[in-house]
Amino acid sequence: MAPRKPGKVVGTAYLKVDGPDKVTGRTLFADDLALPRMLWCKLLRSPHAHARILAIDTAAAAAMPGVKAVLTGRDLPTPFGILPVSQDEHALCPDRVRFIGDPVAAVAAETEEQALEAAHAIRVDYERLPEIDSVQSALRTPEPLIHDYGDAGNVHKRIHLEFGDTEKGFAEADEIVEQNYFFEGNTHLPLEQHASLAVKTPDGKLCIWSSTQTPHYLHRALTKVLGMPAAHVRVVACPNGGGFGGKSDPFNHEIVVAKLALLTGRPVKIGLTREEVFYCHRGRHPTLMSVKAGVRRDGALTALHFRTQLDGGAYGSYGVASTYYTGALQTVTYRVPRYRFEGLRAFTNKPPCGPKRGHGTPQPRFALEVHMDRIAERLGLDPLEMRLRHLQPANSLTANFLQVGSMGLGKCLEEVRERSGWREKHGKLPRGRGVGLACSSYISGAGLPIYWNALPHSGVQLRLDRSGGVTAFCGATDIGQGSDTVLAGCVADVLGIDPLDVRVVTGDTDLTPVDLGSYSSRVTLMMGNAAVEAAERARALVAGAVAEKLGVPAERIALEDRRVFDLEDPAKGMTFQEACIAAEAKHGTLGTVGSYTPPRSPARFRGAGVGPSPAYSYQACVAEVEVDPETGEVKVPRIWIAHDVGRAINRTTTIGQVEGGVYMGLGEALMEEMAYRGNRGVVHKFPSMLEYKSPTTREMCEVETILVEDPDPNGPFGGKEAGQGPLLPVMPAVANAVFDAVGVRVDEIPVSAPKVLKALQRLAAGQEGRYGPAGLPAADYGEVTRVLPPWEGGDGRDMKKQEVGAGGVRGHIPGGK
């Protein structure tokens, strides 16, 4: 055989070869590897917050060294989005940019530096358009439209719901307490930035590895935008170095690298800079809120009226759901006999907001818990004891038809009361020191999928082999919350083996059954239930085969400590490996499946799809603060938090999730904010980790975590969520503690030193010691949907539709969007 001529040595992301192969001693050439050399992608982003694209000239960029492809919006004309009602994004803007950082063109080149240089060589002509920088601005500027599908002008979504006669409830109250609140937007700040690598496979299919929380929905978006058969698209979700909701949307860069890989036939990678991650955003919505509560002298609520106004940024994202969530969960902690919610989300020319940890619920939880403190102060009651007397009962329906199951909030309150020394500290510490309390609750997965259908929300497949090993396949993604460990643990517990005996394969749309993604604290409950079902079916196969071998009834067979044996004669049995061999001999190749679909919600009104969950977690938190009256600086030396987890499947990771939530909540409470300046357009004030402040080890407090286990029948082994709920009470607990320390209210997040100092100065001048919004802009929240609460004979339907239905007219659609 003639010797081969020298050729270019090839490298990949995982293998760099510059000489003989260490195994074979043979030099590797290009045609020895299936994968050609990887290209790098860079995006050109808009410098304007709102502008029409008049022309794009890519000629100079296309001619530059190393450049292999250039894309603009015309190459990817199909819109996409995470929600079916908000398909308003393009991979590259075709005709208009809507925020600074909106991508308009993409380059693929041999090196990252060449791609960046070529992107800067693209010339774009823009026509500037008026910019909208706030909810107030959106309400008074109905045109030009940022999008043409909103409910009214630049208002994306309007919501108006009433459960019972709230005016009657206010008339029955001994006191009415009203106040306004504001929660500034902030971002996720994962240590790992977004990155994606796409490959066109030899058979013409697409495979993309991406830092995503939702491989199923990314797969759906790629299929739609690229016009490819779903079976020809493979998404592999890499373990995330932090997500917190910021990687839950399908993103522009993911679609762009996929298109470039298909065009060039070469692998294409993109890694976003930290600044670009700030532009992707999808973080916490800045939210203005108004709360009106009617109460009796013992603190019992007679009616609650909540208004929220969300600054949604430039695109829809999860925004419709986010808006509903700002009004959904107020009823699951305390008894609310009559409830009214008005909410709206406005489009603005900022990076789009979305589902940061807690998704739409931290803002109203802050307002409600500070308001409850205010009520206790007005009535002269202890805020902890007042809450304890008026908890929503377990196994009950709320006014807005949320089904509460297990409810360990009472135990949580009792635990933090004792652990923190609440009775000895509240209102009794020296000036400048104080303690504050807040409670919260969160869903363990949403009751409905994003695209409504009758399919399972999570599926698990198991393969048992002759070696005694078990492989678990599931589409769930581990984003640092430990879901792979939960999957292995659930399977191992049922089969009586060690979790290390379970090989986990997750987040691969070609290999694993669908799981809808790591969001809404859904994975432990939904994937866990699917895993338990699959494992129990596998257990039945193994136990049946062993029972036959041993000549005993199958119900006497136990699986424990890698053995399968007779309960009445434990010495009589075999190893798990031997049992798998026996089962395969009896049944053939061993494989089982399990799936999970949540129970149907009793609610049937428009908007009822947001809020229902198989189970709700509960939290109580006490924060201790030190406030400098001269500067307003707030320090938090210690936090006590009790979390009702149902049952901790893995105690160590559960505590880690709780303490991670406390850390993130502390940052939101004291310093984090997505601030913009308007003197040169709507420009992000500090899109970097240097200026965007988050807690370091110096600011992080001591945390005492108490796990309250009140098993929920809907959870695997009784388990509920732990990933998001523990964040929620931290911000209001800190704000309430500041009031206990120095007697001023900061009704805004973050509770920063300048705000505390301003409130102290007002108090010293004889004014109200408060810093916060004076009110909300006047707004139309749309036609009210009225639903009778369960105790007034309501059946979960809009009263108008109930009346129509009674008249014989059909066509009612359950739920709402």
Side-chain angles (χ1 to χ4, degrees):
M1 183 175 178
R4 298 173 62 176
K5 294 181 180 180
K8 181 180 290 185
V9 178
V10 175
T12 75
Y14 308 102
L15 175 67
K16 186 175 182 180
V17 181
D18 53 9
D21 178 68
K22 291 181 179 178
V23 176
T24 65
R26 184 170 64 84
T27 300
L28 294 181
F29 294 85
D31 56 357
D32 287 319
L33 298 176
L35 225 55
R37 186 184 292 273
M38 184 181 76
L39 300 175
W40 285 87
C41 172
K42 281 292 182 182
L43 300 175
L44 177 68
R45 296 179 180 274
S46 168
H48 304 298
H50 199 194
R52 188 172 288 112
I53 299 173
L54 302 179
I56 303 180
D57 184 356
T58 62
M64 293 180 73
V67 174
K68 300 301 178 184
V70 181
L71 296 178
T72 64
R74 79 179 90 183
D75 299 304
L76 291 159
T78 305
F80 69 95
I82 185 65
L83 300 186
V85 295
S86 300
Q87 300 283 299
D88 59 1
E89 298 188 59
H90 287 85
L92 298 167
C93 299
D95 51 15
R96 189 145 52 114
V97 294
R98 293 173 171 85
F99 69 95
I100 291 175
D102 227 355
V104 296
V107 175
E110 296 284 358
T111 69
E112 193 171 14
E113 293 76 16
Q114 288 173 332
L116 182 60
E117 188 177 355
H120 288 160
I122 297 171
R123 295 289 171 259
V124 185
D125 292 332
Y126 295 98
E127 177 190 347
R128 297 280 295 273
L129 296 171
E131 298 170 359
I132 294 174
D133 64 358
S134 65
V135 172
Q136 296 93 320
S137 177
L139 290 171
R140 65 174 179 262
T141 312
E143 293 184 346
L145 294 172
I146 295 177
H147 292 286
D148 59 7
Y149 71 92
D151 281 357
N154 282 307
V155 173
H156 177 198
K157 185 64 182 176
R158 300 188 301 186
I159 303 167
H160 193 172
L161 302 169
E162 186 173 29
F163 304 91
D165 188 342
T166 51
E167 289 306 314
K168 182 180 178 182
F170 289 127
E172 294 174 358
D174 296 319
E175 296 276 353
I176 293 178
V177 182
E178 299 183 69
Q179 194 51 268
N180 306 302
Y181 302 90
F182 177 65
F183 200 115
E184 181 59 274
N186 50 62
T187 199
H188 314 82
L189 212 68
L191 287 180
E192 178 206 41
Q193 293 146 220
H194 297 255
S196 301
L197 170 66
V199 174
K200 182 180 180 181
T201 60
D203 56 0
K205 298 177 182 178
L206 173 71
C207 181
I208 181 170
W209 292 263
S210 194
S211 178
T212 178
Q213 297 178 228
T214 53
H216 171 69
Y217 290 118
L218 174 56
H219 180 270
R220 191 180 188 113
L222 288 166
T223 300
K224 178 187 178 187
V225 177
L226 300 176
M228 295 181 68
H232 291 192
V233 176
R234 179 184 182 187
V235 176
V236 181
C238 303
N240 285 197
F244 314 115
K247 298 171 183 174
S248 297
D249 288 70
F251 282 99
N252 317 75
H253 61 272
E254 295 169 314
I255 297 169
V256 165
V257 293
K259 179 69 172 180
L260 287 169
L262 294 172
L263 282 175
T264 64
R266 294 172 64 173
V268 182
K269 178 179 178 179
I270 189 169
L272 299 193
T273 65
R274 179 60 61 180
E275 182 173 346
E276 289 180 299
V277 175
F278 275 89
Y279 295 145
C280 284
H281 193 37
R282 318 298 160 128
R284 190 85 69 220
H285 286 73
T287 305
L288 274 165
M289 294 164 283
S290 168
V291 185
K292 179 181 179 181
V295 292
R296 300 196 185 278
R297 289 187 178 87
D298 65 352
L301 291 162
T302 61
L304 183 65
H305 183 187
F306 227 93
R307 286 196 183 101
T308 64
Q309 296 182 353
L310 287 72
D311 181 338
Y315 291 100
S317 185
Y318 286 82
V320 171
S322 307
T323 310
Y324 275 110
Y325 269 124
T326 61
L329 301 189
Q330 282 86 320
T331 59
V332 298
T333 43
Y334 316 114
R335 288 192 296 268
V336 181
R338 302 174 183 92
Y339 179 54
R340 185 174 183 178
F341 171 60
E342 296 171 289
L344 66 82
R345 182 182 193 262
F347 287 123
T348 61
N349 294 119
K350 298 176 184 175
C353 297
K356 187 185 175 185
R357 197 173 192 170
H359 191 191
T361 66
Q363 302 97 315
R365 180 55 58 181
F366 164 73
L368 180 61
E369 292 301 315
V370 174
H371 208 71
M372 293 296 286
D373 228 52
R374 216 175 221 110
I375 291 168
E377 179 203 357
R378 174 85 66 90
L379 299 173
L381 300 174
D382 181 294
L384 191 152
E385 301 300 332
M386 183 189 79
R387 286 171 168 87
L388 201 52
R389 282 198 297 267
H390 302 296
L391 299 178
Q392 177 68 24
N395 305 310
S396 64
L397 271 180
T398 68
N400 54 340
F401 285 84
L402 301 182
Q403 180 67 61
V404 174
S406 65
M407 206 281 193
L409 182 53
K411 180 65 173 174
C412 290
L413 282 165
E414 291 168 356
E415 286 285 351
V416 295
R417 180 180 61 194
E418 302 310 314
R419 301 289 187 98
S420 68
W422 172 265
R423 292 190 180 105
E424 295 74 38
K425 292 178 180 177
H426 183 251
K428 298 172 184 176
L429 295 175
R431 178 171 167 76
R433 293 181 57 205
V435 291
L437 168 77
C439 299
S440 62
S441 177
Y442 197 63
I443 60 175
S444 298
L448 287 173
I450 290 173
Y451 288 81
W452 291 5
N453 54 57
L455 299 172
H457 291 212
S458 187
V460 171
Q461 293 176 332
L462 297 183
R463 180 180 70 91
L464 284 70
D465 60 51
R466 301 172 193 181
S467 68
V470 178
T471 305
F473 300 86
C474 182
T477 306
D478 199 315
I479 59 172
Q481 85 281 39
S483 60
D484 284 1
T485 304
V486 170
L487 175 56
C490 287
V491 172
D493 192 87
V494 174
L495 295 180
I497 57 179
D498 192 281
L500 292 175
D501 298 333
V502 181
R503 181 183 297 277
V504 171
V505 179
T506 55
D508 186 326
T509 60
D510 261 17
L511 301 182
T512 60
V514 168
D515 178 273
L516 297 182
S518 292
Y519 63 93
S520 295
S521 281
R522 56 176 300 284
V523 178
T524 291
L525 188 139
M526 298 195 181
M527 177 198 72
N529 276 323
V532 168
E533 182 175 80
E536 286 176 341
R537 289 171 174 171
R539 185 188 186 285
L541 294 176
V542 171
V546 173
E548 189 175 288
K549 282 267 186 185
L550 300 181
V552 300
E555 57 268 21
R556 276 173 46 185
I557 297 298
L559 284 76
E560 190 176 334
D561 294 331
R562 295 177 174 148
R563 290 189 70 247
V564 185
F565 55 90
D566 181 0
L567 276 170
E568 295 186 7
D569 184 4
K572 189 177 179 181
M574 61 186 73
T575 67
F576 183 77
Q577 180 182 358
E578 293 168 337
C580 287
I581 293 171
E584 187 172 341
K586 176 178 173 61
H587 301 290
T589 301
L590 294 177
T592 61
V593 297
S595 58
Y596 178 75
T597 302
R600 190 179 183 190
S601 165
R604 300 290 181 270
F605 57 88
R606 181 179 176 85
V610 175
S613 177
Y616 298 90
S617 69
Y618 289 91
Q619 302 78 32
C621 174
V622 170
E624 185 172 333
V625 302
E626 297 170 355
V627 182
D628 186 338
E630 300 300 318
T631 65
E633 182 183 9
V634 180
K635 293 181 179 179
V636 182
R638 193 172 182 89
I639 280 177
W640 297 263
I641 184 165
H643 174 66
D644 167 23
V645 68
R647 175 166 290 159
I649 293 174
N650 184 311
R651 190 173 185 84
T652 301
T653 56
T654 301
I655 291 173
Q657 286 293 288
V658 173
E659 294 181 359
V662 170
Y663 165 81
M664 186 169 278
L666 193 65
E668 297 193 30
L670 297 178
M671 62 191 74
E672 295 190 36
E673 54 183 335
M674 283 281 281
Y676 298 84
R677 55 179 184 264
N679 56 332
R680 292 188 293 110
V682 187
V683 181
H684 199 300
K685 195 172 180 180
F686 31 63
S688 78
M689 289 184 73
L690 182 63
E691 291 91 0
Y692 182 94
K693 301 303 180 186
S694 65
T696 67
T697 52
R698 289 178 62 86
E699 288 82 30
M700 181 58 183
C701 62
E702 291 185 33
V703 180
E704 183 173 343
T705 300
I706 306 108
L707 297 184
V708 171
E709 295 191 276
D710 181 13
D712 193 288
N714 283 334
F717 309 110
K720 300 193 286 191
E721 76 89 32
Q724 302 190 61
L727 173 144
L728 273 64
V730 176
M731 295 78 78
V734 169
N736 289 337
V738 168
F739 176 76
D740 188 51
V742 290
V744 298
R745 292 279 183 194
V746 177
D747 293 328
E748 290 193 2
I749 291 295
V751 184
S752 55
K755 297 174 184 176
V756 176
L757 186 58
K758 187 68 175 177
L760 286 166
Q761 290 168 345
R762 288 172 177 166
L763 184 64
Q767 302 170 19
E768 182 184 11
R770 175 181 181 267
Y771 187 99
L776 275 62
D780 179 3
Y781 296 91
E783 183 181 358
V784 62
T785 295
R786 290 191 169 89
V787 181
L788 283 176
W791 43 86
E792 292 182 17
D795 64 356
R797 289 191 295 164
D798 180 350
M799 290 171 66
K800 285 185 179 179
K801 291 186 177 180
Q802 207 169 356
E803 292 165 4
V804 171
V809 179
R810 301 184 65 185
H812 170 67
I813 301 174
K817 297 179 183 176

